[in-house]
Amino acid sequence: MERGVMSMETFNRVLHNIRAQTEFVKVVVLYHGGEPLLNKGFVEMVRQVRAIVGEDVLIKTVTNGMLLSESASLDIIAAGLDAIEISLDGRSPKENDNIRRNCNYDKVVSNIKTLITCKKQLHSDTPKILIASTQFLDPISQSGKEDPEPPDYLLEEFSGEYASEIMGFKCTWAMRWPHMEVLDEIFDLYQEPCDSEIRNLCDHVENTITIRWNGDVVACCYDLTSRFVLGNINTDNLSTIFNNPSYLQLRTGIHQYRFIPLCGACAVVNPKIFLTLKAT
């Protein structure tokens, strides 16, 4: 899979389309499967989106937190970012570092607390801080029907003076998603026997548009490898792409339970397949 960072030229094309469709824009997420803070233009992108959409549109990002330095924190606060989701996974700091490649729990926590300090210094309520935590289902003692509770180590880490500064914990079970590489030496797959529902509704293809770094418009945020490209922002506008035959066929196919391969392995419309950790 080719990886890259969105250029300002491509971003300006996105911005032009946002400006033309502002009335339909409710949320702008500056993130798609990579690390947004690797883009040196990230802060300027936030600033420019804010200038166009005003205060009524939510602007957020998702990060592993490793590059969230003091200077980066001060910059994103000044730029007008509304919310930041920071990932810390597993049942312990050690498990987090084992699961998340090149992640260091202590550094991420320190950076989150630095962001909180910077917000206080600038008397800013934003960005709201959300801790996202992926947990691993134990089929013997747990059910995937309800989201997991925040692990104790995170509740303890962000207690006391920090408790009121965290907007919440977004905890989910680890699942297999389309085109996800499942490492057999680490994970097993599990589907609950009682879950057999096939669904013909997907909000992602009805109400969101996902644009990759090179301008490709893909089916949804789970298409991290550009397996189903519907157009490119550098050659067509978003309105044209969103209403083109490929997009219409995609939506119609889901309504009629005729899934493309990308959707055929997706937990939005199919029974959920959970990742469980192998015993070590």
Side-chain angles (χ1 to χ4, degrees), residues 33-216:
E35 173 49 51
L37 298 184
L38 286 173
N39 189 332
K40 297 184 183 304
F42 175 77
V43 171
E44 181 60 24
M45 290 176 174
V46 174
R47 187 178 294 113
Q48 291 192 33
V49 172
R50 174 59 69 208
I52 287 178
V53 302
E55 299 301 319
D56 294 331
V57 173
L58 176 73
I59 305 174
K60 68 169 287 188
T61 194
V62 182
T63 173
N64 62 22
M66 288 291 288
L67 297 178
L68 194 60
S69 62
E70 181 179 7
S71 60
S73 295
L74 292 170
D75 286 343
I76 64 173
I77 293 169
L81 188 69
D82 290 308
I84 185 166
E85 187 174 307
I86 303 167
S87 302
L88 288 168
D89 298 335
R91 294 165 294 183
S92 68
K94 180 180 179 180
E95 190 169 283
N96 172 79
D97 290 355
N98 287 338
I99 295 166
R100 303 193 62 83
R101 295 176 181 176
N102 301 317
C103 182
N104 181 281
Y105 172 82
D106 291 333
K107 180 174 178 61
V108 174
V109 168
S110 176
N111 287 348
I112 294 172
K113 293 179 178 179
T114 295
L115 173 59
I116 291 171
T117 299
C118 291
K119 285 177 60 179
K120 290 180 177 179
Q121 290 175 348
L122 296 177
H123 306 288
S124 177
D125 292 329
T126 56
K128 302 294 185 185
I129 302 171
L130 185 72
I131 305 297
S133 185
T134 298
Q135 300 296 312
F136 292 88
L137 185 72
D138 178 359
I140 297 175
S141 61
Q142 297 168 318
S143 169
K145 294 180 179 179
E146 297 181 359
D147 290 334
E149 295 294 322
D152 290 340
Y153 80 98
L154 289 180
L155 293 176
E156 293 171 4
E157 188 73 70
F158 296 103
S159 61
E161 64 179 302
Y162 298 108
S164 61
E165 303 298 331
I166 303 299
M167 183 174 69
F169 295 89
K170 177 183 174 183
C171 298
T172 55
W173 296 118
M175 287 185 289
R176 183 190 68 184
W177 292 103
H179 307 299
M180 179 181 184
E181 179 186 0
V182 178
L183 301 177
D184 293 337
E185 66 271 21
I186 300 176
F187 304 111
D188 284 322
L189 298 178
Y190 172 77
Q191 179 183 339
E192 292 194 36
C194 60
D195 183 9
S196 59
E197 181 185 5
I198 306 294
R199 297 165 286 275
N200 69 336
L201 296 174
C202 177
D203 183 71
H204 295 291
V205 302
E206 300 285 352
N207 294 305
T208 74
I209 293 181
T210 300
I211 306 170
R212 300 219 65 210
W213 64 274
N214 62 352
D216 282 344

Side-chain angles (χ1 to χ4, degrees), residues 218-254:
V218 294
C220 69
C221 58
Y222 298 124
D223 189 359
L224 299 176
T225 54
S226 298
R227 294 299 180 92
F228 198 70
V229 177
L230 295 152
N232 190 286
I233 194 68
N234 292 304
T235 55
D236 281 308
N237 62 54
L238 285 181
S239 179
T240 298
I241 296 171
F242 192 68
N243 293 289
N244 70 20
S246 295
Y247 233 130
L248 294 175
Q249 288 175 6
L250 171 64
R251 290 191 284 268
T252 300
I254 291 174

